[in-house]
Amino acid sequence: MLRERVLPVATVVFAILAIWCVFVVVMNRQFVEDQARRAGQEITFGEIVSQAYTLERPVLPSPHQVAAELWSTTVKKKITSKRSLVYHAWITLSSTLLGFAIGSGFGIILAIAIVHNRTMERSMMPWIIASQTIPIIAIAPMLIVVLNAIGITGLLPKALISTYLSFFPVAVGMVSGLRSPDQLQLDLMRTYNANDRQILWKLRLPSAMPYLFTSLKIAIAISLVGAIIAELPTGAVAGLGARLLSGSYYGQTVQIWSALFMAAILASVLVAIVGLAQTAVLKRMGARP
Amino acid sequence: MNDGFVWFAIAFWLGGWAFNEWLVRQKFSNPALNRLAWFAVPVIFGAAIIIIWEGVVIAFNIPPILLPAPSDVWVRLINSLPILWADFRQTFLKAVLIGYAIGCGSGFLVAILIDRSPFLKNGLLPFGNFVSALPIVGIAPIMVMWFGFDWPSKAAVVVVATFFPMLVNTIQGLSASSSMERDLMRTYAATWSQTLIKLRLPAAWPFIFNALKINSTLALIGAIVAEFFGTPTVGMGFRISTEVGRANIDMVWAEIAVAALAGSAFYGVVALIQRVVTFWHPSVRSGRS
């Protein structure tokens, strides 16, 4: 366990941090030198290094700057404050979760309909798959403007982007999950004279669970992407996407990086929660660990 | 008077549905006819949606700012082909294709390089999986800051977004050949490169093409989102966000249609190449059932 997993991963993470630290000097060097030249000073390499790590608006912020910004905007600020990253993360998280709930619910229902109706399968499946090859976020800005115009504002328009993105993996995963019982098992159900609903509840749904959770993991990660993207083109003032956008406008590199890390942390926590639910449900169903 | 349109739309939809119901139950003796029926079902479904859309817009006098009729979008599309072509060239031909080639190519090469070291593999695989789940499009503002407003910054986002799925899938694919087959190669005294080219790469193709397909969508999304953070005055993402601001929703839909067409065609080309390269694979052989 230690030698096979922890050590290699730790090494890779350490190597990335080391490369990052080197690149802080490489990328910020030009800026520091220009500053010194403008001030008419000679500057030694040691000074370049030390200044590269403490620039106000660096090209590449150093790891400790990002960590300090994360710390000061999460722990030190009140969570109701507009400058708190927890507040912005919550805005994004709420639309992520709402969109994820609607999207996965809709995906499951659609999958059940598709499995039971050949016409729906043949007429809709090609479109569902095709809809995945188009860049859905192209619709995001317009969807929000349209919904604003008919009086729907706030959380729901943003959540709908997440819905659209998360619905596909769930629908497709659920269709193959509901089809996963083999012919033998279906025949057995038929010998019991089970009707469609009984087959669905007692055979198809339980055997679809592993597929469902795998899809849910993808869906919740992509829901977060959708929520962030939905905040970009609409001039949202709160949320992680809005932090990215305002950081980009005002050249606040450290703010961009800390929002990015917050998004990454959020994504991994969400995926981990779905993973825990998966373990719990599968264990309850008697799967061997 | 306008009610006629909506009744026509509903009638068309019901008729199409009934026809589809009949069509899926048919077993034509002529295989060509069977094939035609297979294609006709989703086409009729799609046509019904467009006709309902058109009917609803006309019947309820929905202002074009909310939802333009498909016919208006079509007119707009035909009339602004030069603009659309310029956007397509900027976003797709430059940012997407170049970024896709670099991202997938480097992911593939790195996977082959680290494949020889179990330590690196153990370290990079969880890391790659982790990064693939993160909202990568968030790095767009950083890339715009580093590489400027033109297409290289968009291509850079695409490179980062496509690199990790390719890396993870290629590593997985390279270990797909069984140890028995590898032992056989060893008894032939095959060198490492011979084993790679004749056994392990062919076994990895399905995984690699899976990544190429996922990436074809990711690349387009990444490029369009990156344009929300600043572009020269051309590009699909730029056009979408500005035309939404100017309330030219029909232009936005025209741009979406182009994006959808480009995305589907890109995906289709990759799928077609996969068919040719992995003709032996069960999923391709039984695909024409």
Side-chain angles (χ1 to χ4, degrees), chain A residues 27-109:
Chain A
M27 296 191 72
N28 293 338
R29 180 176 184 169
Q30 189 72 44
F31 186 76
V32 175
E33 279 176 347
D34 286 352
Q35 231 175 11
R37 199 174 307 128
R38 233 171 282 140
Q41 294 163 337
E42 281 294 312
I43 192 165
T44 63
F45 184 72
E47 281 170 337
I48 291 179
V49 171
S50 70
Q51 282 187 29
Y53 279 97
T54 50
L55 280 178
E56 179 108 4
R57 291 178 179 185
V59 181
L60 177 66
S62 63
H64 82 266
Q65 279 177 316
V66 175
E69 169 85 0
L70 266 178
W71 178 260
S72 74
T73 48
T74 50
V75 180
K76 282 194 180 161
K77 293 264 186 329
K78 266 212 208 97
I79 54 166
T80 47
S81 156
K82 288 265 191 311
R83 305 186 65 180
S84 161
L85 209 50
V86 178
Y87 165 78
H88 291 286
W90 167 248
I91 302 271
T92 304
L93 181 66
S94 54
S95 75
T96 304
L97 290 180
L98 182 63
F100 172 69
I102 305 175
S104 47
F106 186 58
I108 291 171
I109 291 170

Side-chain angles (χ1 to χ4, degrees), chain B:
Chain B
M1 187 59 227
N2 281 334
D3 285 1
F5 286 102
V6 87
W7 287 119
F8 172 73
I10 289 174
F12 184 89
W13 174 54
L14 288 175
W17 191 359
F19 185 61
N20 272 351
E21 281 282 355
W22 176 78
L23 215 52
V24 278
R25 288 180 195 351
Q26 294 305 307
K27 280 263 185 290
F28 297 107
S29 49
N30 186 345
L33 215 55
N34 249 336
R35 206 109 173 262
L36 192 69
W38 197 263
F39 279 115
V41 172
V43 169
I44 291 172
F45 181 79
I49 285 187
I50 288 185
I51 287 179
I52 286 188
W53 175 0
E54 181 90 39
V56 165
V57 168
I58 293 175
F60 295 103
N61 279 324
I62 293 178
I65 294 179
L66 288 187
L67 188 67
S71 51
D72 294 344
V73 175
W74 176 249
V75 170
R76 190 61 182 239
L77 186 80
I78 295 299
N79 286 336
S80 44
L81 278 180
I83 297 178
L84 292 171
W85 168 247
D87 292 343
F88 176 76
R89 206 174 47 193
Q90 168 78 11
T91 303
F92 193 84
L93 297 186
K94 289 181 184 164
V96 171
L97 285 186
I98 294 174
Y100 182 81
I102 298 175
C104 292
S106 55
F108 181 71
L109 289 180
V110 170
I112 286 185
L113 286 180
I114 66 169
D115 177 62
R116 300 189 90 168
S117 151
F119 183 80
L120 268 182
K121 212 161 69 173
N122 284 338
L124 269 176
L125 206 52
F127 186 76
N129 270 322
F130 172 71
V131 175
S132 323
L134 297 183
I136 294 276
V137 287
I139 62 161
I142 295 169
M143 292 302 158
V144 170
M145 231 170 248
W146 286 358
F147 297 101
F149 283 119
D150 212 351
W151 63 268
S153 60
K154 282 78 202 170
V157 175
V158 175
V159 168
V160 178
T162 53
F163 177 81
F164 287 101
M166 191 66 189
L167 180 75
V168 170
N169 275 286
T170 309
I171 290 179
Q172 242 168 11
L174 284 176
S175 53
S177 57
S178 74
S179 53
M180 225 139 71
E181 293 160 335
R182 262 179 266 180
D183 283 346
L184 183 65
M185 289 304 274
R186 205 162 301 135
T187 63
Y188 292 158
T191 60
W192 175 78
S193 56
Q194 281 172 327
T195 315
L196 184 71
I197 290 169
K198 303 208 162 143
L199 169 65
R200 301 180 60 212
L201 272 185
W205 283 135
F207 292 84
I208 292 170
F209 273 104
N210 190 25
L212 285 175
K213 280 191 199 160
I214 296 171
N215 282 344
S216 69
T217 327
L218 280 181
L220 205 48
I221 290 184
I224 290 181
V225 169
E227 288 184 353
F228 293 156
F229 286 96
T231 47
T233 55
V234 65
M236 295 162 103
F238 166 80
R239 191 76 54 207
I240 287 170
S241 52
T242 48
E243 296 296 329
V244 162
R246 292 164 56 188
N248 286 336
I249 303 294
D250 50 352
M251 186 64 191
V252 178
W253 276 103
E255 198 73 60
I256 289 171
V258 172
L261 210 61
S264 311
F266 193 12
Y267 188 91
V269 167
V270 175
L272 209 66
I273 298 172
Q274 175 179 27
R275 270 211 166 181
V276 176
V277 175
T278 63
F279 59 91
W280 46 269
H281 195 259
S283 70
V284 175
R285 275 194 304 187
S286 64
R288 297 171 177 272
S289 63

